[in-house]
Amino acid sequence: MGAMAMLTLLAACGGRTPDPGPPADETLERAAQVAQGALDLDQPESAARLYARALERARERDDPNAMDSMAFGQATAALAHGDAATARSVATGMREDLARRGLAVSPGLLLAEATANFRLGNLPEADRLARAVTARSEDAAATRRAWFLLGLIAGARGDAAGVAIARAALGEAAQPAFSADIIELDAVAALLRGDANVAAARAETAGALRQAVVDYRGLSRALALQGVALSNLGARDRAADLLLRAGRSAAERGEVADARLWLTQASTLGAGRPDIQSAVRQVRRDLDQRPTPAPSSSPAGEGRVGGEPSAPLFRSVTRAR
C-alpha cells in the first residue's frame, strides 16, 4: 500500500488523542513533523526510521500519549513499506508497555498490530485484535477498518458467513477508500459462493477505487482477485495478464513473496503466451536483484493477496486449466 493510502486508511484512525499534560517538547514535535512529512511524500522507509527516533524521545520524556502516537506512526510507516514484522514488534511492545501502567493503546495502534499479524499469517491473533478494536467506540475510522480486516480474515478462512457479517457491519460509505473496502468484500463473498462473474466485476470496481486513492497494495489485491475470478470463468489469458500486473505492482513495492506468487500464477495461466512468459521473466530478474527480504511467518505457497493470506480464494488459480 502506498504511504498516502496508508495515511487515508490506517493513519486516519489516529493514535492516542492528546490530553492536557506537561509543557510541549519542541524537539519531539519537530521530530514527529519531519517523520510525518516523509510519510506524506510517500517515503515510508525513511518515515519509519524517523518515527523510531521520535519514539526514543517520547520514551525519554516518559509520556504515554506521545509514546502511543510515535509507535503508531512507526508501525504505520513500516506497514506502508511492507515491513509487517517490525510493525508488529513495535505495536505489541507498546501495548505491553502501556499495559504495565494500567493503560490501553489507542484503537489505531491496536489496528496496526492486527494488520501486521494478518500480513504475517497469524490469523487468530489478527482476529482477536481486530475484534478488540470493534468493541471500542472512540474511533469510528478504526472500527470500520477493523471490520474490513475481519472480512478479509473470514475470506482467508473460506468463511462466507463471516464475510457477510463484516460486510453488513460496514454498511455503506461515500468516502472512496471505505467504498472500496465494501466492494472488495462483495467480490470476496461472490467468489466464495461461486459467482465468478460478479466477483470479477466487483473486483474491477474496487481496483479503480484503490487506484484513485493511491492504495496500490489494495489495487494489487483487487487485480489478483479479478484474475482468480476470470480464471474460474476460463478466461486464462485475461487472468494471466491481471496476475502479471498484480505481481509487477507488488515487485515495485518490494513485496517479494506476493510478487513471486502472482507471477507464478500468471506464468501458469499464460503458458501458451510468449509475451506473458517474457514479462514474467523480466520481473523475476528484477526481483532477483533486490536484497533478500526478512523471513515472513506467512508461507507464500498458501496463496496471498496484497500480503494478506487468502488461501481458500487464491489457491484455485493454479487449478484453472
Side-chain angles (χ1 to χ4, degrees), residues 68-96:
D68 183 288
S69 295
M70 296 310 104
F72 174 77
Q74 186 184 357
T76 298
L79 286 170
H81 78 86
D83 189 358
T86 293
R88 179 172 66 179
S89 176
V90 169
T92 302
M94 184 54 60
R95 177 166 55 82
E96 294 172 348

Side-chain angles (χ1 to χ4, degrees), residues 270-286:
R273 290 282 301 274
D275 56 328
I276 293 288
Q277 301 305 317
S278 176
V280 166
R281 286 193 297 270
Q282 180 60 58
V283 180
R284 283 174 170 163
R285 282 194 293 269
D286 294 342

